[in-house]
Amino acid sequence: MQYILTNLNAFIVIIAIGFSLYLYHTNISEYNNLSEKNNSPIQLISQLKGYFSINPLLALCLAISMFSFVGLPPLAGFFGKQMVLTSVIGAVYYLYIVKTIYFDKTDYKKSYLFVEVTLSNYLSIIIAILTLTITIFILMPNEPLNLCSLLASSLSETINFN
């Protein structure tokens, strides 16, 4: 359940980041020659370089999702990964994305055209709720865990009867 919420949050944030990057341009030929350039402005991790300087809130939401994927203890991902010992290998990839967003210099330059683009209210609310759900484990981890164990036991009983 936590993995679904964290994945959903990460994908929605990446869609929002891609939407906001339509106002920026770059002269890197590698980015301009991508096969699906018109469908999605983000296809490579290197395209997220320095995104923190463009939109700090979306960068923070993506970083929280990545830290949850790593299994950082107070976040929801910790409870999903506490029994998986090989998750350390995956942590390198997730932390590389956070490093790229926060510590690399951006390749994007603001377009000369001034257009005010904002995310829709629904998308902003969904991102906020999912990010808060991931971080709520800091304050009260027992309630969601008990709910998940109840759901799992009821699901296993349903499968056993069939």
Side-chain angles (χ1 to χ4, degrees):
M1 187 170 165
Q2 65 79 25
Y3 193 71
I4 291 170
L5 292 176
T6 306
N7 252 334
L8 185 63
N9 190 42
F11 283 123
I12 291 174
V13 168
I14 288 174
I15 288 169
I17 288 172
F19 178 72
S20 68
L21 285 180
Y22 278 120
L23 295 179
Y24 295 84
H25 69 280
T26 182
N27 292 329
I28 296 178
S29 62
E30 179 186 7
Y31 298 166
N32 295 331
N33 295 329
L34 293 172
S35 60
E36 295 291 325
K37 184 181 82 162
N38 295 330
N39 294 335
S40 174
I42 299 176
Q43 296 179 23
L44 304 172
I45 294 173
S46 60
Q47 290 176 295
L48 294 172
K49 279 185 186 174
Y51 187 75
F52 176 75
S53 63
I54 295 173
N55 192 335
L57 288 176
L58 279 178
L60 178 65
C61 289
L62 187 60
I64 288 172
S65 294
M66 292 297 122
F67 286 137
S68 182
F69 282 139
V70 167
L72 204 63
L75 300 174
F78 171 72
F79 299 100
K81 294 218 176 180
Q82 70 185 25
M83 298 303 218
V84 181
L85 299 176
T86 59
S87 65
V88 175
I89 297 168
V92 173
Y93 296 106
Y94 297 129
L95 294 177
Y96 176 73
I97 294 171
V98 173
K99 182 207 88 66
T100 301
I101 291 171
Y102 280 92
F103 299 112
D104 291 351
K105 188 175 183 243
T106 186
D107 295 328
Y108 292 98
K109 293 175 181 59
K110 187 82 170 171
S111 176
Y112 294 108
L113 202 63
F114 180 75
V115 179
E116 185 65 32
V117 174
T118 59
L119 295 176
S120 70
N121 290 337
Y122 297 116
L123 191 60
S124 300
I125 290 170
I126 289 171
I127 290 172
I129 288 172
L130 288 173
T131 304
L132 285 174
T133 303
I134 293 168
T135 57
I136 200 75
F137 279 85
I138 296 171
L139 302 175
M140 50 181 180
N142 292 334
E143 285 78 10
L145 286 175
N146 291 338
L147 177 66
C148 289
S149 66
L150 284 173
L151 289 172
S153 65
S154 67
L155 181 64
S156 67
E157 288 176 10
T158 306
I159 291 172
N160 289 337
F161 285 130
N162 293 333

